Amino acid sequence: MTYTPRFGRLLTAMVTPFNADSSLDLPRAQELAVRLLDQGTQGLVINGTTGESPTISRDERCQLFEAVIDAVGADVPLVANVGDNCTEDSVEFAKRVTALKGGRINGIMVVTPYYNKPPQEGIYQHMRAVAEVVDVPVVVYNIPGRCVVNIDPETIIRLAADVPNIRALKQANDDLNQLDSIIGNTPDDFEIFAGDDAFTLPNISKGGVGVISTIGNIAAPAMRAMIDAYVAGEFDLAKSYDQTLRPLQDELFVTANPILVKRALALLDFPVGPVRLPLVNATDAQTAQLQQVMSDTFRRLDEL
């Protein structure tokens, strides 16, 4: 595998740190960005689902984007989530975000319009409308578990063919037949990222490039080692990492993301504050179970 992905293979979807009063904690966001890069993350996705985008205003998002830009080097790939369920608003916000700090954002992510339940033609027109007002690569985000509607492979293939800067897909749909269809009918430089951590190796094995990761917030070194091992042809080692990480990957999603990944960071002595309503903080029982799974996982990782 000699292809070098434009954003890297391990992108972490950063949580968004808050103060105790639920206001943005921008200094902590900067510290988190640096921490993740130091631990092996190659690029950052800012204010995606894991970053609690539905409860963060557009002004706050821009403050967050600028804070992260200021914290990291000029060569770090930064992908900003700009998508919404209103096409006109998404278009205007995409233009605003890509102008920040002299155009420092390297790419934008656009999710399937949620709640509207658009037909495939509506999804196509939405993605195209946003992509055509910016000059950076666009990552289409397909997450039917949250948005109800799946982006059919034919729609993704059409977008990749028709819109020059739609150059990547975050595929939070683990249907391997759909993945095969997309990979077999899109350009070689159309990059597919797993949207679920557990789907990372199946995605790469089929020709995808990597993952936009939630667990990367707390286990970036292991995720990076797993991906690097697979790319280097060390398949047994990669599988061992995958099997070791799986219980923790599953545990982080026993309740709505990012409730438990935020609690996990606190358990690692890197607190990032509460979640915003309508999410609620982890219960004592959830915390105890998470702590046990984390302890078991990190002990087993140390043994690899």
Side-chain angles (χ1 to χ4, degrees):
M1 295 185 180
T2 58
Y3 177 75
T4 302
R6 60 177 60 85
F7 299 133
R9 296 186 183 275
L10 175 60
L11 279 69
T12 295
M14 286 178 56
V15 303
T16 299
F18 297 130
N19 295 303
D21 63 357
S22 292
S23 61
L24 285 182
D25 188 344
L26 295 177
R28 196 58 158 171
Q30 293 179 314
E31 292 170 358
L32 177 61
V34 173
R35 172 188 172 96
L36 295 175
L37 294 168
D38 287 346
Q39 291 181 344
T41 289
Q42 295 167 295
L44 299 170
V45 173
I46 313 167
N47 200 222
T49 307
T50 304
E52 297 179 73
S53 56
T55 60
I56 298 179
S57 72
R58 286 190 170 83
D59 286 346
E60 287 178 315
R61 292 190 206 183
C62 288
Q63 293 171 34
L64 181 62
F65 297 149
E66 290 186 322
V68 174
I69 289 169
D70 288 343
V72 305
D75 58 340
V76 175
L78 299 178
V79 178
N81 175 44
V82 304
D84 208 330
N85 63 341
C86 173
T87 302
E88 183 177 357
D89 286 351
S90 298
V91 165
E92 291 307 311
F93 191 54
K95 291 192 287 188
R96 178 180 175 185
V97 168
T98 53
L100 294 173
K101 297 283 184 175
R104 169 63 179 86
I105 292 295
N106 303 99
I108 60 171
M109 187 169 71
V110 184
V111 72
T112 313
Y114 44 87
Y115 192 80
N116 314 64
K117 296 177 68 174
Q120 293 298 308
E121 181 62 25
I123 295 172
Y124 172 87
Q125 295 291 347
H126 175 86
M127 297 292 178
R128 181 164 190 160
V130 178
E132 287 184 337
V133 300
V134 300
D135 58 3
V136 299
V138 174
V139 181
V140 171
Y141 185 10
N142 182 29
I143 182 165
R146 285 185 180 262
C147 296
V148 181
V149 180
N150 179 58
I151 308 179
D152 291 344
E154 294 77 13
T155 302
I156 295 166
I157 293 164
R158 185 180 169 204
L159 285 165
D162 293 353
V163 188
N165 62 325
I166 291 184
R167 294 271 52 89
L169 169 68
K170 180 182 179 183
Q171 180 74 335
N173 173 348
D174 298 350
D175 186 320
L176 289 175
N177 289 328
Q178 292 192 29
L179 182 62
D180 282 338
S181 179
I182 295 165
I183 288 176
N185 292 281
T186 51
D188 290 343
D189 65 347
F190 184 79
E191 300 179 349
I192 300 178
F193 294 90
D196 298 318
D197 286 301
F199 197 56
T200 304
L201 290 190
N203 177 56
I204 297 175
S205 72
K206 292 285 186 177
V209 298
V211 62
I212 295 176
S213 176
T214 295
I215 200 174
N217 283 279
I218 61 170
M223 286 295 290
R224 177 68 182 274
M226 180 186 76
I227 294 169
D228 288 350
Y230 193 92
V231 172
E234 299 178 64
F235 304 125
D236 289 343
L237 178 58
K239 185 176 180 180
S240 294
Y241 273 108
D242 184 45
Q243 292 174 337
T244 302
L245 286 163
R246 191 63 56 87
L248 182 53
Q249 291 168 348
D250 293 343
E251 186 66 25
L252 292 176
F253 285 84
V254 299
T255 188
N257 184 47
I259 291 171
L260 289 180
V261 72
K262 277 195 155 182
R263 182 53 55 89
L265 279 162
L267 292 172
L268 293 173
D269 295 322
F270 192 89
V272 289
V275 291
R276 279 184 176 175
L277 286 170
L279 299 182
V280 293
N281 294 325
T283 65
D284 290 344
Q286 289 169 338
T287 299
Q289 175 65 19
L290 174 63
Q291 190 166 25
Q292 183 61 57
V293 174
M294 288 174 63
S295 177
D296 292 344
T297 299
F298 290 128
R299 175 183 53 80
R300 293 179 60 204
L301 286 170
D302 287 341
E303 295 170 356
L304 288 179

